[in-house]
Amino acid sequence: MSAFLTYLLNGLAVGCAIALIASGLVAIHRVTGVVNFAQGTFAVVAGLCTSSLLGLGVPHGVSEAAAVLLAGVAGLLTGLAAIGRPGTTPLSSLIITLGVGVLAYAVEIVLWGDQPRSAPGLAGSVTIAGARIQTQHLLVIAVTAATFVLLALFFGRTYLGKALTACASNPYAARVVGIDTRRMGLLAFALGGLLGGLAGVLITPLRPISFDTDVTLIVNAFAAAVFGALTRPVVALGGALLLGVAETMAAGYGYGSHQLEVALGLMLVVMIVQASRRSAIHEEAV
């Protein structure tokens, strides 16, 4: 039982990191209609940057904050490349984000090499109901919970948040009332970069990061975001937690080499059931 609880809590922490990346995907897609496949790159850049800064003697807190801000800048630059030119279609923007991800591989290899890097996190562990969990896992869960609360306040209480929501709900009406939808799109990319960077600095102490780690991150995050139809961050959070727990359970019970396949297979089943229910509801309404 203690092993099960350990896997469950560790899985929730992994799922929280996935949820931060997925929420960035959702924020960008809601405002711009673009699926940003460079989202995992922001986490990798922040993780590698944190490792380098800590290695240079920069204290904790400053290193992580600088890395997250760098990821936010990377998100903004990606937005400029993807949607900066008026008239760029969402499909063209998607392809541009793929190109940005490939370009990032080359830059990361030049700056950090091709070997995995890690960074020290919170030391120690705590015991909860007989299950031992690293303090860093609890930090990931706590920071993610606080981030989603802040996001809810940002979108519900601030002018910028309401402007982003307006662009997501009705871009034409937003333009009519004077909201610059292109600027809001760039802001969404920057926000996506910050969220991805936050995920990166949180998971780097838990698992080594290398230039190609973004593949696993974006696959998981995209699955979670699709679970929320790329529009509902809270539902994406639920999907990410399900993914994280499924992966950790698979690894803990001897299926480590197939943990991604097990988790994504589970998500596929859930999404098929969801689609079937939506079809049934639509037919009843008709």
Side-chain angles (χ1 to χ4, degrees):
M1 186 62 182
S2 61
F4 173 81
L5 288 175
T6 299
Y7 299 148
L8 176 63
L9 293 173
N10 290 345
L12 289 176
V14 172
C16 284
I18 295 172
L20 289 172
I21 301 173
S23 63
L25 274 173
V26 170
I28 293 170
H29 183 267
R30 286 181 64 188
V31 177
T32 66
V34 176
V35 178
N36 176 31
F37 279 113
Q39 187 68 25
T41 300
F42 306 148
V44 172
V45 167
L48 294 173
C49 182
T50 300
S51 176
S52 295
L53 291 175
L54 290 173
L56 293 173
V58 180
H60 276 292
V62 177
S63 296
E64 287 83 356
V68 172
L69 288 175
L70 178 62
V73 172
L76 178 60
L77 293 176
T78 302
L80 285 170
I83 65 170
R85 183 178 179 182
T88 305
T89 65
L91 178 58
S92 298
S93 297
L94 182 152
I95 295 172
I96 290 172
T97 65
L98 287 172
V100 169
V102 174
L103 176 63
Y105 275 17
V107 175
E108 289 158 4
I109 291 174
V110 169
L111 294 178
W112 291 287
D114 59 355
Q115 297 302 308
R117 289 175 172 242
S118 189
L122 287 181
S125 60
V126 297
T127 301
I128 302 175
R132 184 171 293 276
I133 181 172
Q134 295 180 38
T135 310
Q136 182 69 25
H137 283 97
L138 294 177
L139 177 65
V140 175
I141 295 172
V143 170
T144 302
T147 300
F148 271 82
V149 171
L150 290 175
L151 285 174
L153 293 175
F154 171 72
F155 283 111
R157 301 289 181 86
T158 68
Y159 171 78
L160 279 178
K162 292 178 179 179
L164 285 168
T165 301
C167 292
S169 301
N170 193 325
Y172 176 76
R175 286 193 294 269
V176 168
V177 298
I179 297 175
D180 188 335
T181 55
R182 175 178 170 275
R183 185 173 297 177
M184 291 300 105
L186 294 175
L187 177 61
F189 267 93
L191 178 61
L194 292 173
L195 291 169
L198 182 59
V201 301
L202 289 173
I203 63 174
T204 300
L206 300 176
R207 54 177 65 179
I209 294 289
S210 64
F211 71 96
D212 59 351
T213 304
D214 69 306
V215 176
T216 302
L217 294 176
I218 191 61
V219 168
N220 280 295
F222 183 67
V226 170
F227 187 74
L230 286 169
T231 57
R232 294 176 290 175
V234 175
V235 180
L237 170 63
L241 295 178
L242 180 60
L243 268 175
V245 171
E247 286 189 14
T248 305
M249 291 291 182
Y253 288 109
Y255 299 96
S257 59
H258 302 289
Q259 59 180 4
L260 183 59
E261 291 87 344
V262 170
L264 293 180
L266 175 61
M267 290 296 295
L268 181 61
V269 171
V270 172
M271 285 187 286
I272 290 174
V273 172
Q274 278 189 324
S276 300
R277 291 182 60 187
R278 291 194 192 102
S279 298
I281 293 172
H282 178 72
E283 290 177 0
E284 290 177 2
V286 174

PDB file of all heavy atoms in Angstrom, residues 263-282:
ATOM      1  N   ALA A 263       0.484   5.130 -20.760  1.00  0.00           N
ATOM      2  CA  ALA A 263      -0.226   6.357 -20.395  1.00  0.00           C
ATOM      3  C   ALA A 263      -1.024   6.912 -21.560  1.00  0.00           C
ATOM      4  O   ALA A 263      -2.203   7.269 -21.423  1.00  0.00           O
ATOM      5  CB  ALA A 263       0.772   7.400 -19.894  1.00  0.00           C
ATOM      6  N   LEU A 264      -0.400   6.972 -22.747  1.00  0.00           N
ATOM      7  CA  LEU A 264      -1.097   7.531 -23.904  1.00  0.00           C
ATOM      8  C   LEU A 264      -2.221   6.603 -24.368  1.00  0.00           C
ATOM      9  O   LEU A 264      -3.253   7.077 -24.866  1.00  0.00           O
ATOM     10  CB  LEU A 264      -0.109   7.774 -25.040  1.00  0.00           C
ATOM     11  CG  LEU A 264       0.930   8.871 -24.777  1.00  0.00           C
ATOM     12  CD1 LEU A 264       1.855   9.034 -25.976  1.00  0.00           C
ATOM     13  CD2 LEU A 264       0.271  10.191 -24.439  1.00  0.00           C
ATOM     14  N   GLY A 265      -2.034   5.296 -24.202  1.00  0.00           N
ATOM     15  CA  GLY A 265      -3.115   4.369 -24.527  1.00  0.00           C
ATOM     16  C   GLY A 265      -4.327   4.604 -23.641  1.00  0.00           C
ATOM     17  O   GLY A 265      -5.479   4.595 -24.114  1.00  0.00           O
ATOM     18  N   LEU A 266      -4.064   4.843 -22.362  1.00  0.00           N
ATOM     19  CA  LEU A 266      -5.150   5.147 -21.430  1.00  0.00           C
ATOM     20  C   LEU A 266      -5.853   6.433 -21.826  1.00  0.00           C
ATOM     21  O   LEU A 266      -7.087   6.518 -21.826  1.00  0.00           O
ATOM     22  CB  LEU A 266      -4.594   5.256 -20.017  1.00  0.00           C
ATOM     23  CG  LEU A 266      -5.584   5.680 -18.915  1.00  0.00           C
ATOM     24  CD1 LEU A 266      -6.712   4.671 -18.799  1.00  0.00           C
ATOM     25  CD2 LEU A 266      -4.860   5.842 -17.581  1.00  0.00           C
ATOM     26  N   MET A 267      -5.067   7.464 -22.182  1.00  0.00           N
ATOM     27  CA  MET A 267      -5.659   8.725 -22.599  1.00  0.00           C
ATOM     28  C   MET A 267      -6.495   8.554 -23.859  1.00  0.00           C
ATOM     29  O   MET A 267      -7.559   9.152 -24.001  1.00  0.00           O
ATOM     30  CB  MET A 267      -4.561   9.755 -22.842  1.00  0.00           C
ATOM     31  CG  MET A 267      -3.867  10.238 -21.593  1.00  0.00           C
ATOM     32  SD  MET A 267      -4.965  11.127 -20.480  1.00  0.00           S
ATOM     33  CE  MET A 267      -5.365  12.550 -21.471  1.00  0.00           C
ATOM     34  N   LEU A 268      -6.027   7.720 -24.786  1.00  0.00           N
ATOM     35  CA  LEU A 268      -6.775   7.485 -26.024  1.00  0.00           C
ATOM     36  C   LEU A 268      -8.125   6.867 -25.719  1.00  0.00           C
ATOM     37  O   LEU A 268      -9.155   7.267 -26.296  1.00  0.00           O
ATOM     38  CB  LEU A 268      -5.970   6.581 -26.956  1.00  0.00           C
ATOM     39  CG  LEU A 268      -6.607   6.246 -28.306  1.00  0.00           C
ATOM     40  CD1 LEU A 268      -6.848   7.516 -29.109  1.00  0.00           C
ATOM     41  CD2 LEU A 268      -5.728   5.279 -29.091  1.00  0.00           C
ATOM     42  N   VAL A 269      -8.152   5.902 -24.800  1.00  0.00           N
ATOM     43  CA  VAL A 269      -9.409   5.267 -24.423  1.00  0.00           C
ATOM     44  C   VAL A 269     -10.361   6.299 -23.812  1.00  0.00           C
ATOM     45  O   VAL A 269     -11.555   6.362 -24.154  1.00  0.00           O
ATOM     46  CB  VAL A 269      -9.151   4.119 -23.425  1.00  0.00           C
ATOM     47  CG1 VAL A 269     -10.471   3.604 -22.851  1.00  0.00           C
ATOM     48  CG2 VAL A 269      -8.397   2.986 -24.109  1.00  0.00           C
ATOM     49  N   VAL A 270      -9.828   7.133 -22.916  1.00  0.00           N
ATOM     50  CA  VAL A 270     -10.663   8.147 -22.259  1.00  0.00           C
ATOM     51  C   VAL A 270     -11.241   9.123 -23.279  1.00  0.00           C
ATOM     52  O   VAL A 270     -12.420   9.479 -23.240  1.00  0.00           O
ATOM     53  CB  VAL A 270      -9.858   8.895 -21.185  1.00  0.00           C
ATOM     54  CG1 VAL A 270     -10.652  10.083 -20.640  1.00  0.00           C
ATOM     55  CG2 VAL A 270      -9.489   7.948 -20.051  1.00  0.00           C
ATOM     56  N   MET A 271     -10.395   9.557 -24.245  1.00  0.00           N
ATOM     57  CA  MET A 271     -10.858  10.522 -25.237  1.00  0.00           C
ATOM     58  C   MET A 271     -11.884   9.907 -26.186  1.00  0.00           C
ATOM     59  O   MET A 271     -12.821  10.576 -26.626  1.00  0.00           O
ATOM     60  CB  MET A 271      -9.665  11.086 -26.007  1.00  0.00           C
ATOM     61  CG  MET A 271      -8.855  12.088 -25.195  1.00  0.00           C
ATOM     62  SD  MET A 271      -7.562  12.935 -26.144  1.00  0.00           S
ATOM     63  CE  MET A 271      -6.350  11.626 -26.297  1.00  0.00           C
ATOM     64  N   ILE A 272     -11.740   8.611 -26.505  1.00  0.00           N
ATOM     65  CA  ILE A 272     -12.736   7.936 -27.337  1.00  0.00           C
ATOM     66  C   ILE A 272     -14.077   7.882 -26.619  1.00  0.00           C
ATOM     67  O   ILE A 272     -15.135   8.131 -27.203  1.00  0.00           O
ATOM     68  CB  ILE A 272     -12.258   6.521 -27.718  1.00  0.00           C
ATOM     69  CG1 ILE A 272     -11.082   6.612 -28.711  1.00  0.00           C
ATOM     70  CG2 ILE A 272     -13.395   5.709 -28.326  1.00  0.00           C
ATOM     71  CD1 ILE A 272     -10.454   5.268 -29.021  1.00  0.00           C
ATOM     72  N   VAL A 273     -14.018   7.581 -25.316  1.00  0.00           N
ATOM     73  CA  VAL A 273     -15.254   7.552 -24.519  1.00  0.00           C
ATOM     74  C   VAL A 273     -15.880   8.942 -24.484  1.00  0.00           C
ATOM     75  O   VAL A 273     -17.098   9.096 -24.628  1.00  0.00           O
ATOM     76  CB  VAL A 273     -14.960   7.042 -23.096  1.00  0.00           C
ATOM     77  CG1 VAL A 273     -16.191   7.206 -22.209  1.00  0.00           C
ATOM     78  CG2 VAL A 273     -14.514   5.599 -23.131  1.00  0.00           C
ATOM     79  N   GLN A 274     -15.044   9.978 -24.309  1.00  0.00           N
ATOM     80  CA  GLN A 274     -15.561  11.352 -24.305  1.00  0.00           C
ATOM     81  C   GLN A 274     -16.224  11.700 -25.630  1.00  0.00           C
ATOM     82  O   GLN A 274     -17.314  12.286 -25.663  1.00  0.00           O
ATOM     83  CB  GLN A 274     -14.418  12.335 -24.046  1.00  0.00           C
ATOM     84  CG  GLN A 274     -14.054  12.516 -22.592  1.00  0.00           C
ATOM     85  CD  GLN A 274     -13.084  13.660 -22.430  1.00  0.00           C
ATOM     86  OE1 GLN A 274     -12.211  13.889 -23.269  1.00  0.00           O
ATOM     87  NE2 GLN A 274     -13.214  14.399 -21.350  1.00  0.00           N
ATOM     88  N   ALA A 275     -15.563  11.342 -26.732  1.00  0.00           N
ATOM     89  CA  ALA A 275     -16.119  11.650 -28.053  1.00  0.00           C
ATOM     90  C   ALA A 275     -17.439  10.920 -28.267  1.00  0.00           C
ATOM     91  O   ALA A 275     -18.385  11.479 -28.836  1.00  0.00           O
ATOM     92  CB  ALA A 275     -15.116  11.261 -29.131  1.00  0.00           C
ATOM     93  N   SER A 276     -17.534   9.693 -27.798  1.00  0.00           N
ATOM     94  CA  SER A 276     -18.775   8.928 -27.939  1.00  0.00           C
ATOM     95  C   SER A 276     -19.903   9.575 -27.152  1.00  0.00           C
ATOM     96  O   SER A 276     -21.037   9.676 -27.636  1.00  0.00           O
ATOM     97  CB  SER A 276     -18.558   7.484 -27.457  1.00  0.00           C
ATOM     98  OG  SER A 276     -17.557   6.855 -28.222  1.00  0.00           O
ATOM     99  N   ARG A 277     -19.581  10.049 -25.956  1.00  0.00           N
ATOM    100  CA  ARG A 277     -20.605  10.703 -25.141  1.00  0.00           C
ATOM    101  C   ARG A 277     -21.071  12.001 -25.788  1.00  0.00           C
ATOM    102  O   ARG A 277     -22.258  12.308 -25.798  1.00  0.00           O
ATOM    103  CB  ARG A 277     -20.063  10.970 -23.736  1.00  0.00           C
ATOM    104  CG  ARG A 277     -19.831   9.724 -22.904  1.00  0.00           C
ATOM    105  CD  ARG A 277     -19.337  10.074 -21.518  1.00  0.00           C
ATOM    106  NE  ARG A 277     -20.301  10.908 -20.817  1.00  0.00           N
ATOM    107  CZ  ARG A 277     -20.061  11.466 -19.625  1.00  0.00           C
ATOM    108  NH1 ARG A 277     -18.895  11.300 -19.038  1.00  0.00           N
ATOM    109  NH2 ARG A 277     -20.998  12.190 -19.041  1.00  0.00           N
ATOM    110  N   ARG A 278     -20.113  12.771 -26.351  1.00  0.00           N
ATOM    111  CA  ARG A 278     -20.500  14.019 -27.009  1.00  0.00           C
ATOM    112  C   ARG A 278     -21.391  13.746 -28.212  1.00  0.00           C
ATOM    113  O   ARG A 278     -22.365  14.461 -28.462  1.00  0.00           O
ATOM    114  CB  ARG A 278     -19.252  14.788 -27.449  1.00  0.00           C
ATOM    115  CG  ARG A 278     -18.425  15.360 -26.314  1.00  0.00           C
ATOM    116  CD  ARG A 278     -17.424  16.371 -26.836  1.00  0.00           C
ATOM    117  NE  ARG A 278     -16.440  16.729 -25.812  1.00  0.00           N
ATOM    118  CZ  ARG A 278     -15.206  16.253 -25.783  1.00  0.00           C
ATOM    119  NH1 ARG A 278     -14.793  15.409 -26.698  1.00  0.00           N
ATOM    120  NH2 ARG A 278     -14.370  16.632 -24.829  1.00  0.00           N
ATOM    121  N   SER A 279     -21.056  12.687 -28.966  1.00  0.00           N
ATOM    122  CA  SER A 279     -21.871  12.340 -30.139  1.00  0.00           C
ATOM    123  C   SER A 279     -23.276  11.956 -29.717  1.00  0.00           C
ATOM    124  O   SER A 279     -24.261  12.349 -30.357  1.00  0.00           O
ATOM    125  CB  SER A 279     -21.203  11.202 -30.907  1.00  0.00           C
ATOM    126  OG  SER A 279     -19.943  11.594 -31.389  1.00  0.00           O
ATOM    127  N   ALA A 280     -23.375  11.193 -28.632  1.00  0.00           N
ATOM    128  CA  ALA A 280     -24.688  10.765 -28.152  1.00  0.00           C
ATOM    129  C   ALA A 280     -25.515  11.965 -27.692  1.00  0.00           C
ATOM    130  O   ALA A 280     -26.707  12.063 -27.992  1.00  0.00           O
ATOM    131  CB  ALA A 280     -24.513   9.762 -27.022  1.00  0.00           C
ATOM    132  N   ILE A 281     -24.854  12.897 -26.965  1.00  0.00           N
ATOM    133  CA  ILE A 281     -25.563  14.086 -26.500  1.00  0.00           C
ATOM    134  C   ILE A 281     -26.031  14.927 -27.684  1.00  0.00           C
ATOM    135  O   ILE A 281     -27.135  15.456 -27.715  1.00  0.00           O
ATOM    136  CB  ILE A 281     -24.665  14.899 -25.561  1.00  0.00           C
ATOM    137  CG1 ILE A 281     -24.409  14.118 -24.275  1.00  0.00           C
ATOM    138  CG2 ILE A 281     -25.287  16.253 -25.242  1.00  0.00           C
ATOM    139  CD1 ILE A 281     -23.368  14.768 -23.362  1.00  0.00           C
ATOM    140  N   HIS A 282     -25.157  15.058 -28.714  1.00  0.00           N
ATOM    141  CA  HIS A 282     -25.517  15.849 -29.900  1.00  0.00           C
ATOM    142  C   HIS A 282     -26.692  15.219 -30.638  1.00  0.00           C
ATOM    143  O   HIS A 282     -27.609  15.935 -31.072  1.00  0.00           O
ATOM    144  CB  HIS A 282     -24.301  15.941 -30.825  1.00  0.00           C
ATOM    145  CG  HIS A 282     -24.587  16.683 -32.089  1.00  0.00           C
ATOM    146  ND1 HIS A 282     -24.772  18.050 -32.120  1.00  0.00           N
ATOM    147  CD2 HIS A 282     -24.725  16.240 -33.389  1.00  0.00           C
ATOM    148  CE1 HIS A 282     -25.006  18.428 -33.361  1.00  0.00           C
ATOM    149  NE2 HIS A 282     -24.982  17.357 -34.143  1.00  0.00           N
TER     150      HIS A 282
END
